[in-house]
Amino acid sequence: MKTCMYAAMACFALMTGLSACIPADPETAETDLPGIQISPRYPQYWTYDGKPSLLLGGSVEDNLFQIDSLDDHLDLLQSVGGNYGRNTMSSRDSGNVWPFLLKENGKYDLSAWNDEYWRRFEHFLQATASRDIVVQIEVWATFDFYREPWLNNPFNPKNNDNYTVERSQLPTEVPTHPVFHQNDFFRSVPTQISSPIVLGFQQRFADKLLSYSLQHDHLLYCMDNETSVNADWGRFWANYIRQVAREQGKDVHTTEMWDPWDLGHVLHRETFDHPEIYTFVDISQNNHQTGDNHWNNGLAQIERLKRTGKLRPLNNVKIYGNDGGPHKTTRDGIESFCRSVLFGAASARFHRPTSGQGLNAHAQALIRSMRTLTDEMPFFEAAPHNDLLADRAENEAFCRALPGSAYLLYFPDGGQVKLNLTDAPGQFELRWMDLLQSTWSESQVQQGGAEVELVCPGKGHWAAILLKK
């Protein structure tokens, strides 16, 4: 019966062109799946080269292809167990280059390329592929098109010889924050103001990007960064990218990142409710939430997708939090990273400084610790189980478990809770890990079959793991 059901789904996918978002028959060997794909067996997670894979990362910058010492930075990420990066196609920072040719008259030619930009991008793709680091590309770097960056952007009509303000319908100044979406650059698509001349050059850029990226199979595609523009824009480019890929015999995965911090905001439904367009979901904005709120909001979206039959990976490409930065504290960032892993997010990556931890010492330790812990247990079979905890204060502890077999608990700042092992008789091996040191305590034998009290060895960020002996 299951085989027939999956065959019917596959037939529907072929007729509608939606094959990338239809899970394969879970009885099919995942080892047959190349590169980054949705896991047939665990559809809220990814597989990489046929193996279920939790994506963990952090980096010093968002547009990594533009940084110096890229290879050293990727080596560091890989050395601590990281396998996930973010790359905005951005050029707004000091030392960056733009994708188009700058002519002697000081204006750009949108029909000609800056070879250095694309050389950097190609090297980045090769360097991440060789290290098995999955990259989430953001095609349109939202903040490059507003305020000061827009004044220097080649797409600005005052900066190129390809079109005028009148012909393009684009402004020369956009002094407002992107949340006000006042740049008609993002309305060029046919269902909006339809500016064929601008759309044509946007297409050239997208085609050039895809000419490099479709040579690889370790990439995910996000249309924008914290966008508030009309949903037609993201739909247009997600469909375009997937169609170009299909024409080359490839399936790729797309999403959109909306600006509202509340995952219940109706804008997020554009991704949650439309797997035929967006084959995975980015929930980075949930990381503006804290404590139990952060856990409950993330978990609620997973449960909603399960109920509606639209379960697929939920990525966190940006985890905010850095003391002195604009968004949340260092403690908030560490907690959000750990909670995201336990509640079932498919990826967790520390945002760049100063908004996040980047790949500093804290980030390195947390990536290493979470990789070690999740490798120790049947992580993908397990599920969130705070229902097994008693005498728990708000934000005191969080539990992921395969009841009767394995239990992983995260304590943000020490504490003690009771874990219900009543239906789990026998002996368990209990070990504690200091997450910021990535060090284990000596193992203990814990008797199951009853409610047991777990007391952290001290304050700070700790994890406890119990495995059936």
Side-chain angles (χ1 to χ4, degrees), residues 299-314:
L299 193 56
Q301 301 310 317
I302 295 173
E303 293 305 313
R304 183 164 73 85
L305 291 178
K306 287 179 180 177
R307 289 194 302 272
T308 58
K310 297 173 181 176
L311 184 62
R312 56 208 196 274
L314 280 72

mmCIF file with all atom_site columns, all heavy atoms in Angstrom, residues 299-314:
data_model
loop_
_atom_site.group_PDB
_atom_site.id
_atom_site.type_symbol
_atom_site.label_atom_id
_atom_site.label_alt_id
_atom_site.label_comp_id
_atom_site.label_asym_id
_atom_site.label_entity_id
_atom_site.label_seq_id
_atom_site.pdbx_PDB_ins_code
_atom_site.Cartn_x
_atom_site.Cartn_y
_atom_site.Cartn_z
_atom_site.occupancy
_atom_site.B_iso_or_equiv
_atom_site.pdbx_formal_charge
_atom_site.auth_seq_id
_atom_site.auth_comp_id
_atom_site.auth_asym_id
_atom_site.auth_atom_id
_atom_site.pdbx_PDB_model_num
ATOM 1   N N   . LEU A 1 299 ? 8.496  24.521 17.769 1.00 0.00 ? 299 LEU A N   1
ATOM 2   C CA  . LEU A 1 299 ? 7.841  23.212 17.820 1.00 0.00 ? 299 LEU A CA  1
ATOM 3   C C   . LEU A 1 299 ? 6.438  23.278 17.232 1.00 0.00 ? 299 LEU A C   1
ATOM 4   O O   . LEU A 1 299 ? 5.998  22.347 16.539 1.00 0.00 ? 299 LEU A O   1
ATOM 5   C CB  . LEU A 1 299 ? 7.788  22.735 19.265 1.00 0.00 ? 299 LEU A CB  1
ATOM 6   C CG  . LEU A 1 299 ? 7.417  21.270 19.514 1.00 0.00 ? 299 LEU A CG  1
ATOM 7   C CD1 . LEU A 1 299 ? 8.344  20.342 18.759 1.00 0.00 ? 299 LEU A CD1 1
ATOM 8   C CD2 . LEU A 1 299 ? 7.444  20.975 21.004 1.00 0.00 ? 299 LEU A CD2 1
ATOM 9   N N   . ALA A 1 300 ? 5.734  24.382 17.468 1.00 0.00 ? 300 ALA A N   1
ATOM 10  C CA  . ALA A 1 300 ? 4.365  24.520 16.947 1.00 0.00 ? 300 ALA A CA  1
ATOM 11  C C   . ALA A 1 300 ? 4.344  24.478 15.426 1.00 0.00 ? 300 ALA A C   1
ATOM 12  O O   . ALA A 1 300 ? 3.419  23.909 14.824 1.00 0.00 ? 300 ALA A O   1
ATOM 13  C CB  . ALA A 1 300 ? 3.750  25.821 17.447 1.00 0.00 ? 300 ALA A CB  1
ATOM 14  N N   . GLN A 1 301 ? 5.348  25.059 14.789 1.00 0.00 ? 301 GLN A N   1
ATOM 15  C CA  . GLN A 1 301 ? 5.370  25.050 13.327 1.00 0.00 ? 301 GLN A CA  1
ATOM 16  C C   . GLN A 1 301 ? 5.642  23.651 12.779 1.00 0.00 ? 301 GLN A C   1
ATOM 17  O O   . GLN A 1 301 ? 5.058  23.243 11.775 1.00 0.00 ? 301 GLN A O   1
ATOM 18  C CB  . GLN A 1 301 ? 6.417  26.036 12.805 1.00 0.00 ? 301 GLN A CB  1
ATOM 19  C CG  . GLN A 1 301 ? 6.199  27.468 13.255 1.00 0.00 ? 301 GLN A CG  1
ATOM 20  C CD  . GLN A 1 301 ? 4.773  27.948 13.012 1.00 0.00 ? 301 GLN A CD  1
ATOM 21  O OE1 . GLN A 1 301 ? 4.189  27.692 11.964 1.00 0.00 ? 301 GLN A OE1 1
ATOM 22  N NE2 . GLN A 1 301 ? 4.215  28.657 13.975 1.00 0.00 ? 301 GLN A NE2 1
ATOM 23  N N   . ILE A 1 302 ? 6.521  22.921 13.439 1.00 0.00 ? 302 ILE A N   1
ATOM 24  C CA  . ILE A 1 302 ? 6.776  21.536 13.019 1.00 0.00 ? 302 ILE A CA  1
ATOM 25  C C   . ILE A 1 302 ? 5.508  20.708 13.144 1.00 0.00 ? 302 ILE A C   1
ATOM 26  O O   . ILE A 1 302 ? 5.141  19.949 12.229 1.00 0.00 ? 302 ILE A O   1
ATOM 27  C CB  . ILE A 1 302 ? 7.914  20.919 13.853 1.00 0.00 ? 302 ILE A CB  1
ATOM 28  C CG1 . ILE A 1 302 ? 9.238  21.652 13.564 1.00 0.00 ? 302 ILE A CG1 1
ATOM 29  C CG2 . ILE A 1 302 ? 8.053  19.429 13.557 1.00 0.00 ? 302 ILE A CG2 1
ATOM 30  C CD1 . ILE A 1 302 ? 10.386 21.226 14.451 1.00 0.00 ? 302 ILE A CD1 1
ATOM 31  N N   . GLU A 1 303 ? 4.813  20.871 14.255 1.00 0.00 ? 303 GLU A N   1
ATOM 32  C CA  . GLU A 1 303 ? 3.587  20.098 14.471 1.00 0.00 ? 303 GLU A CA  1
ATOM 33  C C   . GLU A 1 303 ? 2.521  20.488 13.451 1.00 0.00 ? 303 GLU A C   1
ATOM 34  O O   . GLU A 1 303 ? 1.777  19.633 12.959 1.00 0.00 ? 303 GLU A O   1
ATOM 35  C CB  . GLU A 1 303 ? 3.082  20.308 15.898 1.00 0.00 ? 303 GLU A CB  1
ATOM 36  C CG  . GLU A 1 303 ? 3.997  19.721 16.964 1.00 0.00 ? 303 GLU A CG  1
ATOM 37  C CD  . GLU A 1 303 ? 4.279  18.247 16.738 1.00 0.00 ? 303 GLU A CD  1
ATOM 38  O OE1 . GLU A 1 303 ? 3.318  17.486 16.484 1.00 0.00 ? 303 GLU A OE1 1
ATOM 39  O OE2 . GLU A 1 303 ? 5.463  17.857 16.791 1.00 0.00 ? 303 GLU A OE2 1
ATOM 40  N N   . ARG A 1 304 ? 2.432  21.771 13.109 1.00 0.00 ? 304 ARG A N   1
ATOM 41  C CA  . ARG A 1 304 ? 1.436  22.206 12.124 1.00 0.00 ? 304 ARG A CA  1
ATOM 42  C C   . ARG A 1 304 ? 1.735  21.617 10.753 1.00 0.00 ? 304 ARG A C   1
ATOM 43  O O   . ARG A 1 304 ? 0.833  21.171 10.032 1.00 0.00 ? 304 ARG A O   1
ATOM 44  C CB  . ARG A 1 304 ? 1.387  23.732 12.046 1.00 0.00 ? 304 ARG A CB  1
ATOM 45  C CG  . ARG A 1 304 ? 0.319  24.261 11.100 1.00 0.00 ? 304 ARG A CG  1
ATOM 46  C CD  . ARG A 1 304 ? 0.050  25.732 11.342 1.00 0.00 ? 304 ARG A CD  1
ATOM 47  N NE  . ARG A 1 304 ? 1.118  26.575 10.869 1.00 0.00 ? 304 ARG A NE  1
ATOM 48  C CZ  . ARG A 1 304 ? 1.231  27.011 9.610  1.00 0.00 ? 304 ARG A CZ  1
ATOM 49  N NH1 . ARG A 1 304 ? 0.335  26.649 8.700  1.00 0.00 ? 304 ARG A NH1 1
ATOM 50  N NH2 . ARG A 1 304 ? 2.212  27.799 9.250  1.00 0.00 ? 304 ARG A NH2 1
ATOM 51  N N   . LEU A 1 305 ? 3.008  21.593 10.384 1.00 0.00 ? 305 LEU A N   1
ATOM 52  C CA  . LEU A 1 305 ? 3.379  21.005 9.098  1.00 0.00 ? 305 LEU A CA  1
ATOM 53  C C   . LEU A 1 305 ? 3.076  19.507 9.074  1.00 0.00 ? 305 LEU A C   1
ATOM 54  O O   . LEU A 1 305 ? 2.659  18.971 8.041  1.00 0.00 ? 305 LEU A O   1
ATOM 55  C CB  . LEU A 1 305 ? 4.857  21.254 8.804  1.00 0.00 ? 305 LEU A CB  1
ATOM 56  C CG  . LEU A 1 305 ? 5.240  22.713 8.502  1.00 0.00 ? 305 LEU A CG  1
ATOM 57  C CD1 . LEU A 1 305 ? 6.732  22.831 8.274  1.00 0.00 ? 305 LEU A CD1 1
ATOM 58  C CD2 . LEU A 1 305 ? 4.482  23.242 7.298  1.00 0.00 ? 305 LEU A CD2 1
ATOM 59  N N   . LYS A 1 306 ? 3.273  18.837 10.186 1.00 0.00 ? 306 LYS A N   1
ATOM 60  C CA  . LYS A 1 306 ? 2.934  17.412 10.254 1.00 0.00 ? 306 LYS A CA  1
ATOM 61  C C   . LYS A 1 306 ? 1.440  17.212 10.051 1.00 0.00 ? 306 LYS A C   1
ATOM 62  O O   . LYS A 1 306 ? 1.009  16.342 9.284  1.00 0.00 ? 306 LYS A O   1
ATOM 63  C CB  . LYS A 1 306 ? 3.359  16.825 11.606 1.00 0.00 ? 306 LYS A CB  1
ATOM 64  C CG  . LYS A 1 306 ? 4.856  16.637 11.786 1.00 0.00 ? 306 LYS A CG  1
ATOM 65  C CD  . LYS A 1 306 ? 5.154  16.067 13.165 1.00 0.00 ? 306 LYS A CD  1
ATOM 66  C CE  . LYS A 1 306 ? 6.636  15.863 13.378 1.00 0.00 ? 306 LYS A CE  1
ATOM 67  N NZ  . LYS A 1 306 ? 6.945  15.371 14.746 1.00 0.00 ? 306 LYS A NZ  1
ATOM 68  N N   . ARG A 1 307 ? 0.637  18.020 10.731 1.00 0.00 ? 307 ARG A N   1
ATOM 69  C CA  . ARG A 1 307 ? -0.820 17.854 10.654 1.00 0.00 ? 307 ARG A CA  1
ATOM 70  C C   . ARG A 1 307 ? -1.342 18.119 9.248  1.00 0.00 ? 307 ARG A C   1
ATOM 71  O O   . ARG A 1 307 ? -2.321 17.490 8.826  1.00 0.00 ? 307 ARG A O   1
ATOM 72  C CB  . ARG A 1 307 ? -1.517 18.798 11.650 1.00 0.00 ? 307 ARG A CB  1
ATOM 73  C CG  . ARG A 1 307 ? -1.345 18.429 13.103 1.00 0.00 ? 307 ARG A CG  1
ATOM 74  C CD  . ARG A 1 307 ? -2.329 19.193 13.978 1.00 0.00 ? 307 ARG A CD  1
ATOM 75  N NE  . ARG A 1 307 ? -2.202 20.638 13.851 1.00 0.00 ? 307 ARG A NE  1
ATOM 76  C CZ  . ARG A 1 307 ? -1.381 21.389 14.574 1.00 0.00 ? 307 ARG A CZ  1
ATOM 77  N NH1 . ARG A 1 307 ? -0.618 20.822 15.498 1.00 0.00 ? 307 ARG A NH1 1
ATOM 78  N NH2 . ARG A 1 307 ? -1.348 22.696 14.401 1.00 0.00 ? 307 ARG A NH2 1
ATOM 79  N N   . THR A 1 308 ? -0.714 19.028 8.537  1.00 0.00 ? 308 THR A N   1
ATOM 80  C CA  . THR A 1 308 ? -1.203 19.388 7.203  1.00 0.00 ? 308 THR A CA  1
ATOM 81  C C   . THR A 1 308 ? -0.533 18.581 6.090  1.00 0.00 ? 308 THR A C   1
ATOM 82  O O   . THR A 1 308 ? -0.804 18.821 4.913  1.00 0.00 ? 308 THR A O   1
ATOM 83  C CB  . THR A 1 308 ? -0.984 20.888 6.943  1.00 0.00 ? 308 THR A CB  1
ATOM 84  O OG1 . THR A 1 308 ? 0.407  21.197 7.081  1.00 0.00 ? 308 THR A OG1 1
ATOM 85  C CG2 . THR A 1 308 ? -1.790 21.728 7.916  1.00 0.00 ? 308 THR A CG2 1
ATOM 86  N N   . GLY A 1 309 ? 0.328  17.652 6.472  1.00 0.00 ? 309 GLY A N   1
ATOM 87  C CA  . GLY A 1 309 ? 0.988  16.823 5.469  1.00 0.00 ? 309 GLY A CA  1
ATOM 88  C C   . GLY A 1 309 ? 2.040  17.559 4.663  1.00 0.00 ? 309 GLY A C   1
ATOM 89  O O   . GLY A 1 309 ? 2.358  17.141 3.545  1.00 0.00 ? 309 GLY A O   1
ATOM 90  N N   . LYS A 1 310 ? 2.611  18.645 5.219  1.00 0.00 ? 310 LYS A N   1
ATOM 91  C CA  . LYS A 1 310 ? 3.587  19.452 4.487  1.00 0.00 ? 310 LYS A CA  1
ATOM 92  C C   . LYS A 1 310 ? 4.938  19.495 5.200  1.00 0.00 ? 310 LYS A C   1
ATOM 93  O O   . LYS A 1 310 ? 5.712  20.433 5.047  1.00 0.00 ? 310 LYS A O   1
ATOM 94  C CB  . LYS A 1 310 ? 3.047  20.874 4.301  1.00 0.00 ? 310 LYS A CB  1
ATOM 95  C CG  . LYS A 1 310 ? 1.772  20.928 3.464  1.00 0.00 ? 310 LYS A CG  1
ATOM 96  C CD  . LYS A 1 310 ? 1.153  22.320 3.440  1.00 0.00 ? 310 LYS A CD  1
ATOM 97  C CE  . LYS A 1 310 ? -0.131 22.305 2.614  1.00 0.00 ? 310 LYS A CE  1
ATOM 98  N NZ  . LYS A 1 310 ? -0.825 23.613 2.632  1.00 0.00 ? 310 LYS A NZ  1
ATOM 99  N N   . LEU A 1 311 ? 5.218  18.471 5.989  1.00 0.00 ? 311 LEU A N   1
ATOM 100 C CA  . LEU A 1 311 ? 6.455  18.452 6.761  1.00 0.00 ? 311 LEU A CA  1
ATOM 101 C C   . LEU A 1 311 ? 7.667  18.440 5.840  1.00 0.00 ? 311 LEU A C   1
ATOM 102 O O   . LEU A 1 311 ? 7.731  17.663 4.883  1.00 0.00 ? 311 LEU A O   1
ATOM 103 C CB  . LEU A 1 311 ? 6.490  17.226 7.671  1.00 0.00 ? 311 LEU A CB  1
ATOM 104 C CG  . LEU A 1 311 ? 7.703  17.132 8.606  1.00 0.00 ? 311 LEU A CG  1
ATOM 105 C CD1 . LEU A 1 311 ? 7.733  18.313 9.573  1.00 0.00 ? 311 LEU A CD1 1
ATOM 106 C CD2 . LEU A 1 311 ? 7.687  15.804 9.362  1.00 0.00 ? 311 LEU A CD2 1
ATOM 107 N N   . ARG A 1 312 ? 8.601  19.303 6.118  1.00 0.00 ? 312 ARG A N   1
ATOM 108 C CA  . ARG A 1 312 ? 9.862  19.384 5.401  1.00 0.00 ? 312 ARG A CA  1
ATOM 109 C C   . ARG A 1 312 ? 10.859 20.128 6.272  1.00 0.00 ? 312 ARG A C   1
ATOM 110 O O   . ARG A 1 312 ? 10.496 20.609 7.352  1.00 0.00 ? 312 ARG A O   1
ATOM 111 C CB  . ARG A 1 312 ? 9.669  20.064 4.044  1.00 0.00 ? 312 ARG A CB  1
ATOM 112 C CG  . ARG A 1 312 ? 9.039  21.445 4.084  1.00 0.00 ? 312 ARG A CG  1
ATOM 113 C CD  . ARG A 1 312 ? 8.286  21.677 2.770  1.00 0.00 ? 312 ARG A CD  1
ATOM 114 N NE  . ARG A 1 312 ? 7.949  23.082 2.522  1.00 0.00 ? 312 ARG A NE  1
ATOM 115 C CZ  . ARG A 1 312 ? 6.860  23.670 2.995  1.00 0.00 ? 312 ARG A CZ  1
ATOM 116 N NH1 . ARG A 1 312 ? 6.014  22.990 3.781  1.00 0.00 ? 312 ARG A NH1 1
ATOM 117 N NH2 . ARG A 1 312 ? 6.601  24.930 2.695  1.00 0.00 ? 312 ARG A NH2 1
ATOM 118 N N   . PRO A 1 313 ? 12.124 20.256 5.863  1.00 0.00 ? 313 PRO A N   1
ATOM 119 C CA  . PRO A 1 313 ? 13.127 20.848 6.763  1.00 0.00 ? 313 PRO A CA  1
ATOM 120 C C   . PRO A 1 313 ? 12.825 22.302 7.114  1.00 0.00 ? 313 PRO A C   1
ATOM 121 O O   . PRO A 1 313 ? 12.411 23.094 6.280  1.00 0.00 ? 313 PRO A O   1
ATOM 122 C CB  . PRO A 1 313 ? 14.423 20.735 5.959  1.00 0.00 ? 313 PRO A CB  1
ATOM 123 C CG  . PRO A 1 313 ? 14.193 19.595 5.010  1.00 0.00 ? 313 PRO A CG  1
ATOM 124 C CD  . PRO A 1 313 ? 12.745 19.684 4.648  1.00 0.00 ? 313 PRO A CD  1
ATOM 125 N N   . LEU A 1 314 ? 13.084 22.634 8.394  1.00 0.00 ? 314 LEU A N   1
ATOM 126 C CA  . LEU A 1 314 ? 13.019 24.005 8.892  1.00 0.00 ? 314 LEU A CA  1
ATOM 127 C C   . LEU A 1 314 ? 14.439 24.426 9.253  1.00 0.00 ? 314 LEU A C   1
ATOM 128 O O   . LEU A 1 314 ? 15.033 23.897 10.196 1.00 0.00 ? 314 LEU A O   1
ATOM 129 C CB  . LEU A 1 314 ? 12.115 24.124 10.123 1.00 0.00 ? 314 LEU A CB  1
ATOM 130 C CG  . LEU A 1 314 ? 10.603 24.176 9.880  1.00 0.00 ? 314 LEU A CG  1
ATOM 131 C CD1 . LEU A 1 314 ? 10.063 22.820 9.457  1.00 0.00 ? 314 LEU A CD1 1
ATOM 132 C CD2 . LEU A 1 314 ? 9.879  24.656 11.140 1.00 0.00 ? 314 LEU A CD2 1
#
